[in-house]
């Protein structure tokens, strides 16, 4: 068979050849440096034969200089860890078959293995396992790959490991059942595995670390056995590992759940219910500020605000398609006078009924309806996380009803509004994801392809190209009623998440019988844009809290300044300043505790209050304050009037 090299040259290889054979055919230097390959976009190791009929396949041999090879050594590390775990239990008097192994895949930044052991592992066992792993890596055990018939593979695990047996039985008939062995029968480890792997354990970089233990149900099913999961991280370089560990420590400090408790912003009460946050006074103030900001922005951009109820008749959600397509994510129905009602999972069906309240003309379009609407969705308790993943949340929601000819311009306006809002909040590292349907693999969700899908996708692409917005594509990420444009960003952990969305809907207008009279006097169905600039206020608040580490700008801070009198005799002057600032609608507190000045200043810094105003004899006599500004090294002395003027300017500019 012929394969094509990156420079376009063709290489003749025998059937059944591996990437290792290809590297050797190219030259001895590359054969020595080779660690894996990319074949037609798929990652291969040096041991697995190239696919049958691979003639014309594009192949690139990977060396340790290529970052694409990271999944190879991370996967092999999962096997090395499994071998080390069995060694640890052997030292404790257990047999190898006493430690049953489930799965050990590669994940972002590392790997894990799920095990069913005779006694639970503890955190203090991780360094012991890691020490054995480093010895196995240093021993440079070669890896071998072999294939067994189904029955022989099953016999290998019969009565020994029910997890591997189940995996084999679930493989489709005719699928190859492969194993990887590192080392030999005397000293080594063999596992059921598709691969790919590095050629030997010595090719694994030493920059890895075991990080944590967790519980995990077998195959994610709560009715199946609970296994113990061991997590590890691994990188090509020491610098990458150290940066990741630093990032994790920084993320712990910035975790919105930790900051939420420390700064008295929100709480979760088991008595109220999981995933149903309670906003404390300071957090509620910030949220109100976010809402007021968006309210003013949306008015500027031609939106009309509406209010809709928290429940609706089941008929509404059958019409919208939520009950057929989305029922598992909705709460159970409430029976009222023989009819079923549901807590609303989305605001859009309610807005459609507002549109339908009276017949529209083309002169009424585009109609932009906005609402800070609270919705309720059933999330598994294990997925809940502070404000980032909740069961009740308030969306910064809006629906734009327009003609087909207005779609592109309206979509561009929304993209520009995203840019405007995020710039005001200092958020620059974000991009868009064009979320598309997957008709082939998920027809039950997306139905059949058709003109409405083609038109919607073409309109979004055209808007993106005209604005020059940075975007990627995500197959299968669309909603059941149309493609969408998601706003993607990285959290403090470096993880990519969607924070907001902009969806184009050519379907719901027909479902609800929405119409307008066009210029010719004919009835026409509007196109609907579902738009949420901040997504939900809850999720945006969580992200922004972590993004700022709780150091909110002056206009958002619940307490903008704290006055620290040096002694009790300065308290009267502090009260005069506070009264003057409050008259100017500034938020100020006085720390009149009988603590030392430095302790008061430290407490104010821990509460992340933007301005600390220290007053003593000198300030009292001169009518000034000693200003200590968050993150500023230098202290300044300002007249009270000048301070108020500067604060007003910063609040108005929302800097």
């Amino acid at each position: 068979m012929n394969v094509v090299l990156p420079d376009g040259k063709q290489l003749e290889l025998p059937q059944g050849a591996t990437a290792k054979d290809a590297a050797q055919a190219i030259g001895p230097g590359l054969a020595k440096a080779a660690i894996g390959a990319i074949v037609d976009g798929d990652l291969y190791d040096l041991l697995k034969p190239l696919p049958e009929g691979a003639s014309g396949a594009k192949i690139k041999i990977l060396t340790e200089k290529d970052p694409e090879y990271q999944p190879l050594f991370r996967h092999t590390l999962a096997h090395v860890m499994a071998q080390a775990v069995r060694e640890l239990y052997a030292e404790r008097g257990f047999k190898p078959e006493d430690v049953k192994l489930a799965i050990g895949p590669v994940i972002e930044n590392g790997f894990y293995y799920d095990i069913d052991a005779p006694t639970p592992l503890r955190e203090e066992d991780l360094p012991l396992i890691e020490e054995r792993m480093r010895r196995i890596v240093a021993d440079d055990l070669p890896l071998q790959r072999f294939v067994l018939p189904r029955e022989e593979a099953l016999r290998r695990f019969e009565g020994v490991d029910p997890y591997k047996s189940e995996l084999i039985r679930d493989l489709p008939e005719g699928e190859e059942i492969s194993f990887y062995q590192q080392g030999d029968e005397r000293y080594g480890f063999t596992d059921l595995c598709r691969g790919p792997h590095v050629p030997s354990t010595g090719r694994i970089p030493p920059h890895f670390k075991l990080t944590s233990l967790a519980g995990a149900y077998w195959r994610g099913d709560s009715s199946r056995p609970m296994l113990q999961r061991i997590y590890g991280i691994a990188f090509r370089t020491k610098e990458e590992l150290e940066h990741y560990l630093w990032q994790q420590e920084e993320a712990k400090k910035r975790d919105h759940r930790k900051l939420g408790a420390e700064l008295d912003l929100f709480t979760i009460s088991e008595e109220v219910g999981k995933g149903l946050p309670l906003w404390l006074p300071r957090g509620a103030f910030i949220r109100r500020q976010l809402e007021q900001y968006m309210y003013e922005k949306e008015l500027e951009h031609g939106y009309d605000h509406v209010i809709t109820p928290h429940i609706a008749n089941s008929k509404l959600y059958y019409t919208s398609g939520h009950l057929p397509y989305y029922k598992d994510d909705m709460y159970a129905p409430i029976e009222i006078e023989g009819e079923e009602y549901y807590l609303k999972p989305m605001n859009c069906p309610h807005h459609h009924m507002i549109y339908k309240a009276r017949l529209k003309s083309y002169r009424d379009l585009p109609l932009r309806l906005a609402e800070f609407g609270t919705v309720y969705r059933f999330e598994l308790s294990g997925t809940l996380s502070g404000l980032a993943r909740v069961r009740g949340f308030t969306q910064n929601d809006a629906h734009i009803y327009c003609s087909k000819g207005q779609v592109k311009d309206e979509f561009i306006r929304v993209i520009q509004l995203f840019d405007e809002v995020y710039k005001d909040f200092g958020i620059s590292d974000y991009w868009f994801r064009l979320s598309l349907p997957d008709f082939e693999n998920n027809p039950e969700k997306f139905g059949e392809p058709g003109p409405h899908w083609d038109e919607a996708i073409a309109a979004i692409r055209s808007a993106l190209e005209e604005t020059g917005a940075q975007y990627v594509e995500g197959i299968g990420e669309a909603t059941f009623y149309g493609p969408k444009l998601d706003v993607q960003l990285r959290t403090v952990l470096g993880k990519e998440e969607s924070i907001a969305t902009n969806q184009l809907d050519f379907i719901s207008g027909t479902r609800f019988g929405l119409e307008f009279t066009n210029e010719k006097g004919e009835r026409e169905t509007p196109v609907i844009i579902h738009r949420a600039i901040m997504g939900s206020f809850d999720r945006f608040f969580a992200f922004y809290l972590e993004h700022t580490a709780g150091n909110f700008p002056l206009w958002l801070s619940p307490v903008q300044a704290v006055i620290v009198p040096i002694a009790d005799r300065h308290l009267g002057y502090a009260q005069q300043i506070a009264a003057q600032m409050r008259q100017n609608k500034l938020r100020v507190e006085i720390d009149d505790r009988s603590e030392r000045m430095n302790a008061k200043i430290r407490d104010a810094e821990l509460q992340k209050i933007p301005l600390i105003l220290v007053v003593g004899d000198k300030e009292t006599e001169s009518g000034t304050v000693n200003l200590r500004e968050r993150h500023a090294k230098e202290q300044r002395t300002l007249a009270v009037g000048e301070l108020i003027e500067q604060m007003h300017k910063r609040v108005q500019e929302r800097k």
Side-chain angles (χ1 to χ4, degrees):
M1 61 179 173
N2 289 317
V3 294
V4 181
L5 302 178
D7 61 3
K9 293 181 180 178
Q10 292 194 359
L11 183 67
E12 180 72 26
L13 295 171
Q15 287 294 330
T18 63
K20 181 179 181 180
D21 297 325
Q24 289 173 336
I26 295 170
L30 184 60
K32 184 178 180 180
I35 198 164
I38 294 178
V39 182
D40 278 344
D42 294 326
L43 186 62
Y44 270 65
D45 57 33
L46 301 181
L47 305 172
K48 182 179 179 179
L50 299 176
E52 292 184 12
S55 288
K58 294 180 180 179
I59 184 170
K60 174 188 175 183
I61 301 299
L62 300 177
T63 69
E64 291 171 13
K65 295 180 180 179
D66 298 300
E68 297 99 322
Y69 94 101
Q70 286 190 124
L72 295 174
F73 67 74
R74 287 171 175 163
H75 199 169
T76 308
L77 272 169
H79 285 213
V80 169
M81 181 171 68
Q83 179 178 342
V85 167
R86 280 194 164 160
E87 287 184 8
L88 179 67
Y89 277 99
E91 290 180 7
R92 294 174 177 177
F94 295 99
K95 299 176 182 178
E97 57 268 25
D98 291 333
V99 182
K100 297 173 175 57
L101 303 172
I103 55 172
V106 172
I107 55 175
E108 186 179 12
N109 299 315
F111 55 94
Y112 71 77
Y113 217 118
D114 288 344
I115 66 168
D116 185 352
T119 58
L121 289 169
R122 298 170 297 177
E123 291 290 337
E124 51 264 38
D125 291 323
L126 295 183
L128 303 178
I129 298 169
E130 191 177 311
E131 181 182 350
R132 287 165 174 76
M133 291 174 66
R134 296 193 182 280
R135 190 194 68 232
I136 294 167
V137 169
D139 287 344
D140 195 18
L141 304 180
L143 269 78
Q144 304 171 58
R145 180 182 184 274
F146 61 91
V147 176
L148 292 179
R150 178 180 293 264
E151 293 307 316
E152 188 175 342
L154 282 170
R155 283 197 298 272
R156 188 182 188 96
F157 295 106
E158 187 176 0
V160 176
D161 194 324
Y163 307 106
K164 300 297 185 187
S165 299
E166 183 177 326
L167 291 172
I168 294 171
R169 285 194 297 269
D170 287 350
L171 289 174
E173 286 291 338
E175 182 166 331
E176 189 175 68
I177 301 174
S178 58
F179 293 77
Y180 281 79
Q181 177 178 312
Q182 58 202 32
D184 53 30
E185 294 296 331
R186 178 189 61 83
Y187 172 48
F189 174 75
T190 303
D191 201 6
L192 171 75
C193 187
R194 286 195 178 101
H197 290 277
V198 292
S200 68
T201 60
R203 302 295 293 273
I204 297 172
H207 317 299
F208 61 87
K209 180 178 178 63
L210 299 188
T211 55
S212 62
L213 295 168
Y217 290 111
W218 171 231
R219 293 191 153 180
D221 185 345
S222 60
S223 66
R224 310 293 298 276
M226 172 66 80
L227 307 176
Q228 200 164 20
R229 178 171 293 178
I230 315 171
Y231 282 103
I233 54 173
F235 296 91
R236 287 190 308 150
T237 67
K238 180 182 178 182
E239 291 74 20
E240 288 175 322
L241 174 62
E242 289 178 345
H243 175 74
Y244 179 84
L245 293 173
W246 168 84
Q247 190 179 46
Q248 296 298 301
E249 285 304 310
E250 187 69 15
K252 289 178 184 176
K253 299 175 190 174
R254 290 171 174 254
D255 188 313
H256 79 278
R257 294 165 296 185
K258 177 176 179 288
L259 288 171
E262 291 174 350
L263 303 179
D264 287 330
L265 301 175
F266 70 92
T267 187
I268 305 289
S269 165
E270 289 292 326
E271 287 83 359
V272 173
K274 296 177 180 178
L276 300 172
L278 300 172
W279 293 82
L280 302 178
R282 290 188 176 187
F285 174 85
I286 297 170
R287 174 168 153 173
R288 286 294 185 198
Q289 292 291 92
L290 296 177
E291 291 176 350
Q292 184 62 28
Y293 168 87
M294 282 310 307
Y295 182 73
E296 293 172 6
K297 279 287 178 191
E298 287 168 346
L299 289 183
E300 289 174 17
H301 284 260
Y303 288 84
D304 294 311
H305 269 254
V306 297
I307 298 173
T308 61
H310 291 241
I311 65 172
N313 194 292
S314 61
K315 296 173 186 175
L316 184 71
Y317 298 125
Y318 277 113
T319 302
S320 68
H322 285 101
L323 277 175
Y325 290 102
Y326 203 76
K327 187 175 183 179
D328 289 345
D329 296 299
M330 295 170 64
Y331 274 94
I334 306 165
E335 186 174 328
I336 303 174
E337 296 180 342
E339 292 187 305
E340 285 188 343
Y341 285 76
Y342 284 85
L343 288 169
K344 69 174 175 179
M346 294 184 184
N347 299 300
C348 35
H350 298 249
H351 289 191
H352 300 338
M353 300 312 294
I354 290 176
Y355 177 96
K356 198 174 181 179
R358 67 176 181 84
L359 182 62
K360 302 293 187 293
S361 159
Y362 70 93
R363 294 186 180 89
D364 298 314
L365 304 186
L367 176 65
R368 308 180 187 100
L369 299 180
E371 181 182 13
F372 302 155
T374 301
V375 297
Y376 303 89
R377 299 179 189 173
F378 174 68
E379 302 280 358
L380 294 174
S381 58
T383 66
L384 300 174
S385 177
L387 296 176
R389 194 75 177 264
V390 292
R391 289 173 170 171
F393 53 94
T394 303
Q395 291 180 306
N396 171 214
D397 213 354
H399 296 88
I400 303 168
Y401 302 85
C402 58
S403 66
K404 289 184 179 180
Q406 295 168 327
V407 166
K408 179 181 171 182
D409 287 344
E410 286 302 306
F411 218 83
I412 288 173
R413 285 173 64 97
V414 174
I415 292 173
Q416 291 170 341
L417 183 55
F418 273 120
D419 290 338
E420 188 176 324
V421 170
Y422 286 23
K423 181 180 179 181
D424 282 350
F425 282 88
I427 301 169
S428 57
D429 187 19
Y430 72 93
W431 65 99
F432 295 106
R433 181 184 69 195
L434 174 52
S435 296
L436 301 170
D438 186 354
F439 296 114
E440 183 177 347
N441 297 311
N442 206 350
E444 67 279 2
K445 177 178 179 181
F446 302 110
E448 295 293 329
H452 56 279
W453 280 101
D454 297 337
E455 288 179 51
I457 293 168
I460 297 176
R461 282 205 173 106
S462 179
L464 286 165
E465 289 167 8
E466 187 161 323
T467 59
Q470 177 190 358
Y471 77 99
V472 296
E473 294 188 1
I475 304 297
E477 299 293 337
T479 63
F480 65 84
Y481 48 73
K484 58 178 178 167
L485 193 65
D486 294 315
V487 181
Q488 305 295 111
L489 46 75
R490 295 202 179 275
T491 66
V492 290
L493 285 170
K495 182 181 178 183
E496 179 183 338
E497 288 190 2
S498 298
I499 194 172
T501 190
N502 189 19
Q503 303 166 2
L504 193 51
D505 180 358
F506 278 67
I507 296 174
S508 295
T510 301
R511 280 181 176 271
F512 279 88
L514 307 184
E515 295 180 330
F516 68 93
T517 305
N518 62 23
E519 295 93 328
K520 298 178 181 179
E522 299 167 340
R523 297 291 180 90
E524 194 174 319
T525 301
V527 179
I528 304 164
I529 297 174
H530 304 245
R531 183 243 71 182
I533 300 298
M534 285 190 178
S536 78
F537 288 107
D538 312 71
R539 189 175 178 83
F540 185 86
F541 184 94
F543 162 75
Y544 193 61
L545 180 55
E546 293 180 349
H547 178 71
T548 61
N551 295 302
F552 293 109
L554 195 67
W555 70 275
L556 268 180
S557 297
V559 179
Q560 294 170 320
V562 62
I563 304 174
V564 177
I566 295 176
D568 287 347
R569 65 179 180 274
H570 306 123
L571 183 57
Y573 179 58
Q575 291 169 340
Q576 291 176 25
I577 298 172
Q580 191 175 348
M581 293 178 73
R582 287 167 183 154
Q583 285 174 359
N584 283 274
K585 297 184 179 180
L586 296 172
R587 302 180 292 278
V588 61
E589 290 183 354
I590 300 173
D591 190 341
D592 57 3
R593 296 175 300 161
S594 57
E595 299 281 349
R596 295 178 63 85
M597 179 188 75
N598 288 340
K600 294 179 181 181
I601 291 172
R602 177 61 178 159
D603 288 344
E605 288 173 342
L606 290 173
Q607 284 296 303
K608 302 181 184 289
I609 294 172
L611 306 177
I612 303 172
L613 314 177
V614 179
V615 293
D617 291 337
K618 179 181 176 182
E619 289 77 23
T620 303
E621 292 171 5
S622 61
T624 61
V625 296
N626 178 263
L627 172 64
R628 301 170 187 234
E629 190 162 357
R630 186 177 57 199
H631 302 317
K633 294 181 180 179
E634 295 182 359
Q635 301 173 24
R636 293 187 291 153
T637 298
L638 288 177
V640 175
E642 186 180 358
L643 170 68
I644 290 172
E645 184 179 339
Q646 289 187 12
M647 290 178 70
H648 267 303
K649 184 179 179 181
R650 286 172 58 180
V651 168
Q652 289 167 0
E653 293 177 350
R654 287 190 169 121
K655 296 297 185 183

